[in-house]
Amino acid sequence: MRRTIILLFTIIFSLACEKKVDLLVHNAKVYTSDDNYNNITSFVVDEGKFIEVGGEELIEKYKSVSVVNARGLPVFPGFIDSHCHLLSLGLKQFEVDLKGTKSFEEIVFKLKDYSLNKNLSVLRGAGWDQNDWYKKDLPTKDSLDILFPNIPVVLSRIDGHAMLVNQKALDMAGISLKTKANGGEIVSSNGKLTGLIIDKPMELIEEIIPRYTESEKIKALKTAEKICFENGITTVDEAGLLKSDILLIDSLQKNNLFDLRVYAMVANEKKSLEYFFKNGSIKNDRLNVSSIKVYADGALGSRGAALKDSYSDKNNHYGSIIISIDSIEKLAIKALAHDFQMNTHAIGDYANSEVLKIYNDVLSDKSDPRWRIEHAQVISNEDFSKFNEKIIPSVQPLHATSDMYWAEERLGKSRIKGAYAYKDLLDWSGRLALGTDFPVEEVNPINTFYAAVSRKDLKQYPAGGYQYENALSRREALLGMTIWGAYANFEDSLKGSISPGKYADFVILDRDIMEIETHRIPSTRVVATILNGKIVYSTRFGK
């Protein structure tokens, strides 16, 4: 295998005076993600687009500036991550990484070590998950108040739907026991604030902590772009950005400083919505701004997901609707009037049920809306039939294998059967868009593929797969990461398959994930990522 990889590319520069095409790839095992093509071993690229696919006969048909002999390795369309947080991924470099910690004591140690000899105006951390701790109780601020009495400490939970803050941060935000917590919770115990804030009230903290500078955001975006290319991702669906951040990406792309293709959902924030509803969408070869991102509820891990019945592990607790159902309906009507897609985060069965009702009502006369439910995580049996070709579930298979250790505690044995039910969702909707939700999960579409088809985590657990009846076939998983993802973005005529006329975005892997033994899939590595016919990442040769 090593010799095969080392000898992967044979690049021949034509001496002919007349340029015919830019690139010809042959001797590959090409998975086009297009039903019109089978047994493809070669394709031709010119001016950033695929112009022909076929067999080895293309070598005789075209003269090319570059010829790549793939040595039989598999080639796929560039991967589309249909739900992620690109800017947040890059900004992690300015925070204490709390992911994978096994106790709150470990978090405290990391914070002390990070802040040593630093003149900080705020101490940020992100990635903690009490479900991974030996003691799984939600944390409190007591030790933070002792160690950091003079600067605000803001520690975001892994899902971004809860944060732990110290007393300094509470005081700066004016939060007390009397503060109203509509759309979430400001947690107290024995008449005292614990420092834990869930969902919408987190905005009170975000208003008082220093903003990231433009230069920090540019550095963050470039860092995140590099990570995406290293993982074979050529398009990201950024799940909620303010107007200023979208326009920053637009400016960077126009100045050829940022190449990654971005489908950016506009955050449900007044000024951002007003701007894009007034000025219309942005659609060019690298940026697509034609959708809005709405939060119906919170996350299951922090018990913020809105359920029809009480949480199984917390009596009389039902989670929270972040904005009112009436507000969601009004926003849906407005989005439709301005020809914007609506992509709504819905985790709990109550949130999903209400969003499905609104979608089906508002879209009754719309022929091809492609509105999305992001996560569609817990669905009641009676609500699966409310999905249809107008409503696309945008799901993250890694959540199933991350949450399986504790999800049943939240939902109970009966309700868990309708959770992470990707095959059932596919049967009703006809398509699924697959994403990672990074940085909540790792930036790795290969792991997404593996979780979707095996329903196992990277430790090969459980042996038979978690609720394996909802596993996807390998073909379904691939389509969800390519052409179905493009379809969910109204971009299937431009990308998502290796087909003539589409952008020449593709990835070469070191093994065939469509055929190798399932347990070997996570060991797959990206050999090269090509965007618009140009190398943006490779382990074997330079750009």
Side-chain angles (χ1 to χ4, degrees):
M1 176 63 74
R2 181 181 298 274
R3 291 183 63 190
T4 299
I5 294 175
I6 291 174
L7 297 174
L8 173 61
F9 292 103
T10 302
I11 303 177
I12 303 171
F13 292 93
S14 172
L15 298 177
C17 296
E18 183 181 5
K19 172 187 172 185
K20 296 296 183 182
V21 294
D22 295 328
L23 173 66
L24 188 150
V25 177
H26 75 105
N27 193 17
K29 188 165 188 180
V30 183
Y31 291 94
T32 64
S33 290
D34 190 327
D35 287 334
N36 294 324
Y37 302 102
N38 296 299
N39 301 316
I40 301 301
T41 64
S42 304
F43 56 84
V44 180
V45 174
D46 197 43
E47 296 184 354
K49 293 185 177 181
F50 299 113
I51 62 170
E52 188 171 354
V53 299
E56 295 304 294
E57 73 280 356
L58 296 183
I59 297 175
E60 302 298 326
K61 186 174 180 180
Y62 289 94
K63 289 184 179 180
S64 178
V65 173
S66 296
V67 177
V68 172
N69 181 348
R71 303 287 182 182
L73 288 180
V75 179
F76 300 85
F79 296 135
I80 297 172
D81 194 317
S82 290
H83 184 106
C84 61
H85 303 275
L86 185 75
L87 182 57
S88 294
L89 173 68
L91 291 174
K92 283 176 67 64
Q93 64 190 292
F94 304 113
E95 304 170 340
V96 186
D97 183 7
L98 306 179
K99 200 169 185 178
T101 51
K102 298 302 181 183
S103 67
F104 187 63
E105 289 73 22
E106 184 181 349
I107 285 178
V108 171
F109 176 82
K110 284 195 166 196
L111 295 175
K112 289 167 63 178
D113 183 63
Y114 181 86
S115 62
L116 192 66
N117 299 322
K118 288 187 177 73
N119 184 25
L120 299 172
S121 59
V122 59
L123 180 54
R124 295 183 176 97
W128 62 269
D129 184 353
Q130 83 283 359
N131 295 304
D132 292 338
W133 298 348
Y134 303 119
K135 186 179 179 182
K136 301 185 186 301
D137 296 337
L138 286 165
T140 64
K141 64 182 179 66
D142 298 343
S143 56
L144 302 181
D145 292 342
I146 295 170
L147 291 168
F148 308 103
N150 299 317
I151 63 167
V153 180
V154 182
L155 310 178
S156 298
R157 191 179 183 277
I158 190 167
D159 53 24
H161 287 270
M163 60 172 56
L164 181 70
V165 302
N166 65 347
Q167 189 61 45
K168 179 67 174 180
L170 292 172
D171 291 341
M172 290 173 64
I175 295 175
S176 69
L177 289 168
K178 296 180 180 179
T179 303
K180 293 183 179 180
N182 297 328
E185 185 178 3
I186 298 172
V187 181
S188 63
S189 178
N190 298 320
K192 295 182 180 180
L193 295 175
T194 68
L196 191 68
I197 303 175
I198 299 173
D199 289 317
K200 193 168 180 60
M202 295 191 302
E203 294 175 358
L204 299 173
I205 298 294
E206 291 164 354
E207 288 174 1
I208 58 94
I209 61 176
R211 307 284 184 181
Y212 286 108
T213 65
E214 183 174 287
S215 62
E216 287 174 330
K217 288 183 177 180
I218 291 173
K219 183 179 179 182
L221 288 166
K222 291 297 294 179
T223 297
E225 177 188 50
K226 180 175 181 290
I227 295 171
C228 287
F229 287 153
E230 290 171 350
N231 284 278
I233 299 169
T234 55
T235 293
V236 294
D237 290 12
E238 168 56 270
L241 282 178
L242 297 174
K243 176 195 76 172
S244 57
D245 296 330
I246 292 173
L247 296 183
L248 175 61
I249 291 173
D250 188 33
S251 174
L252 292 172
Q253 289 176 331
K254 286 177 177 176
N255 287 284
N256 295 316
L257 299 173
F258 190 78
D259 296 318
L260 184 66
R261 302 194 200 276
V262 180
Y263 165 93
M265 307 177 202
V266 182
N268 181 22
E269 184 265 342
K270 185 178 180 181
K271 290 183 179 179
S272 298
L273 291 179
E274 286 179 347
Y275 176 87
F276 284 104
F277 283 163
K278 178 182 178 181
N279 293 282
S281 60
I282 298 175
K283 289 186 179 181
N284 55 51
D285 61 341
R286 283 184 281 190
L287 183 62
N288 180 350
V289 186
S290 57
S291 65
I292 64 174
K293 170 68 182 301
V294 182
Y295 284 97
D297 65 345
L300 194 64
S302 53
R303 298 187 184 87
L307 302 180
K308 293 181 178 181
D309 297 312
S310 176
Y311 275 76
S312 296
D313 59 354
K314 189 175 182 180
N315 290 335
N316 299 316
H317 183 80
Y318 297 82
S320 301
I321 290 293
I322 292 179
I323 63 173
S324 70
I325 300 302
D326 182 60
S327 296
I328 295 174
E329 183 174 16
K330 289 179 179 177
L331 189 53
I333 294 170
K334 196 167 187 178
L336 187 65
H338 288 85
D339 200 27
F340 269 68
Q341 279 175 284
M342 186 163 173
N343 305 335
T344 305
H345 164 117
I347 298 283
D349 55 5
Y350 177 70
N352 275 285
S353 182
E354 293 300 313
V355 172
L356 284 165
K357 289 177 186 175
I358 292 170
Y359 276 20
N360 279 300
D361 181 48
V362 171
L363 300 175
S364 59
D365 296 326
K366 180 74 171 178
S367 61
D368 186 23
R370 306 188 197 183
W371 282 20
R372 299 164 46 156
I373 294 186
E374 306 297 319
H375 309 302
Q377 198 160 301
V378 185
I379 311 294
S380 297
N381 187 57
E382 65 271 16
D383 288 329
F384 278 102
S385 61
K386 296 175 185 175
F387 282 92
N388 51 59
E389 62 182 9
K390 294 184 180 183
I391 303 171
I392 301 172
S394 172
V395 300
Q396 300 75 46
L398 285 166
H399 286 341
T401 55
S402 293
D403 299 357
M404 64 182 174
Y405 292 95
W406 50 263
E408 189 171 319
E409 296 175 11
R410 300 282 193 275
L411 299 172
K413 289 185 180 298
S414 176
R415 198 162 39 183
I416 194 67
K417 294 177 182 178
Y420 316 97
Y422 307 138
K423 188 67 170 181
D424 290 339
L425 289 169
L426 177 60
D427 288 344
W428 283 103
S429 64
R431 294 179 179 87
L432 292 177
L434 303 187
T436 63
D437 201 12
F438 71 67
V440 177
E441 303 286 356
E442 296 300 321
V443 189
N444 192 328
I446 301 300
N447 289 349
T448 294
F449 182 91
Y450 172 72
V453 302
S454 74
R455 303 284 290 197
K456 297 179 183 180
D457 66 13
L458 296 180
K459 298 176 183 178
Q460 308 290 326
Y461 179 85
Y466 175 65
Q467 299 188 166
Y468 187 74
E469 65 275 13
N470 268 294
L472 302 179
S473 71
R474 297 194 193 204
R475 175 167 174 74
E476 290 164 348
L478 177 61
L479 295 179
M481 294 163 52
T482 55
I483 191 64
W484 289 348
Y487 180 89
N489 297 353
F490 277 98
E491 295 179 324
D492 49 310
S493 65
L494 302 172
K495 63 178 74 165
S497 65
I498 297 177
S499 307
K502 294 190 178 184
Y503 299 139
D505 300 347
F506 60 96
V507 58
I508 303 174
L509 302 181
D510 70 350
R511 64 197 67 189
D512 189 349
I513 59 175
M514 304 299 286
E515 292 189 353
I516 60 174
E517 299 96 327
T518 305
H519 71 272
R520 294 181 58 212
I521 292 173
S523 299
T524 303
R525 297 292 178 262
V526 173
V527 173
T529 304
I530 291 83
L531 182 81
N532 227 39
K534 297 179 180 178
I535 301 166
V536 291
Y537 170 76
S538 175
T539 59
R540 297 296 167 232
F541 59 101
K543 296 180 181 179

